Amino acid sequence: MDLDTEVGSVQSSAEKIPTTCEDRSISEPYVGMEFDSEEAAREFYSGYARQEGFIVRLDRCHRSETDNRILSRRFSCNKQGFYVRPRNGTKPVQRPRVSIREGCEAMMLVKVNNHGKWVVTKFVKEHCHPLQVSAYATDRTLLESKDFKIQLLTRELQRHDKLCQLYRQLLLSLLESVEEQTQVLSGKLELVVNNVKQLENDVEKPLDTH
């Protein structure tokens, strides 16, 4: 048995074990993306927002003139637009509140089609402000990262276990081969020793003078 050949063969097979892990991150919205309902679209964009580090504002919608049902909905970043302080001369001037709006244009617009599906018709990814990933999203990412590493380590241990089993089999086979060769050599050595003894006995015999 060729030890190098067998080890190389098993190493090649073990290295073919898949080490990928399903990516659980929420994909980026795109034009043409479909949802079964407005609520499903909102939940998706809210999850995407948590992942990216911003908060969703339920923005304006367009309704049907016949039955008043919603035909389109815009989901925006909560920093969309600018705060405009209302003017009222009858009330005393109050201390202006701090506005979180910064004129951000990031948004996702969905419209219902003839088949009842809510389709993304416009998506703006860029924000005009820094994004802050929430602790929830960070913890979830870390947890998924740990799960991914555990799966990789488990597969690596399984690969090494297979290699150890192969090495053990090859070692046992090698020991059996060595034992067989030792027995053969012992038999040949014994034969040589016997021949030498026989030759010595023949030399020591006195010559027959008669």
Side-chain angles (χ1 to χ4, degrees):
M1 179 181 292
D2 190 339
L3 181 61
D4 293 335
T5 302
E6 292 296 330
V7 171
S9 176
V10 171
Q11 284 179 334
S12 298
S13 300
E15 288 171 357
K16 292 179 181 179
I17 298 175
T19 57
T20 58
C21 180
E22 182 181 356
D23 185 9
R24 302 176 184 176
S25 63
I26 300 176
S27 60
E28 182 177 290
Y30 58 88
V31 174
M33 193 174 193
E34 292 186 354
F35 302 94
D36 292 332
S37 64
E38 176 191 351
E39 179 65 18
R42 185 189 66 79
E43 290 181 358
F44 168 81
Y45 195 61
S46 296
Y48 170 75
R50 286 193 299 269
Q51 174 180 279
E52 296 299 310
F54 67 97
I55 300 174
V56 175
R57 180 188 299 277
L58 195 62
D59 209 341
R60 59 179 176 265
C61 66
H62 175 67
R63 295 180 178 271
S64 170
E65 296 180 355
T66 56
D67 54 10
N68 202 39
R69 65 188 179 94
I70 298 177
L71 300 178
S72 67
R73 169 69 73 179
R74 173 172 167 165
F75 305 103
S76 302
C77 173
N78 70 327
K79 296 184 183 294
Q80 172 264 345
F82 295 95
Y83 173 72
V84 180
R85 186 176 60 181
R87 296 181 180 181
N88 192 332
T90 61
K91 292 184 179 181
V93 178
Q94 298 179 351
R95 183 179 179 181
R97 66 178 183 179
V98 178
S99 175
I100 63 171
R101 301 200 180 192
E102 301 181 21
C104 183
E105 297 182 355
M107 53 80 73
M108 183 180 80
L109 178 64
V110 291
K111 294 182 180 181
V112 63
N113 62 16
N114 296 331
H115 302 287
K117 296 290 185 179
W118 289 78
V119 184
V120 177
T121 58
K122 186 176 181 180
F123 170 63
V124 179
K125 176 181 179 180
E126 292 74 17
H127 295 258
C128 65
H129 56 89
L131 301 179
Q132 296 181 348
V133 180
S134 65
Y136 167 81
T138 302
D139 292 343
R140 180 179 177 183
T141 301
L142 290 175
L143 180 61
E144 291 178 351
S145 177
K146 290 180 181 178
D147 291 341
F148 177 69
K149 290 179 180 179
I150 289 174
Q151 291 187 21
L152 288 182
L153 289 175
T154 300
R155 288 191 174 98
E156 186 67 15
L157 288 174
Q158 292 174 348
R159 187 176 74 86
H160 282 290
D161 183 59
K162 289 185 177 181
L163 287 176
C164 288
Q165 292 179 9
L166 172 67
Y167 291 146
R168 184 175 181 274
Q169 293 175 359
L170 293 178
L171 181 59
L172 291 176
S173 177
L174 179 61
L175 291 176
E176 291 178 357
S177 178
V178 170
E179 185 177 357
E180 293 175 356
Q181 295 296 326
T182 301
Q183 292 176 355
V184 172
L185 290 176
S186 297
K188 290 182 179 180
L189 181 59
E190 184 179 359
L191 179 61
V192 170
V193 171
N194 292 335
N195 290 336
V196 170
K197 287 182 178 180
Q198 182 64 38
L199 180 60
E200 290 177 347
N201 292 333
D202 293 342
V203 172
E204 291 177 354
K205 286 182 181 180
L207 298 174
D208 187 3
T209 59
H210 297 287

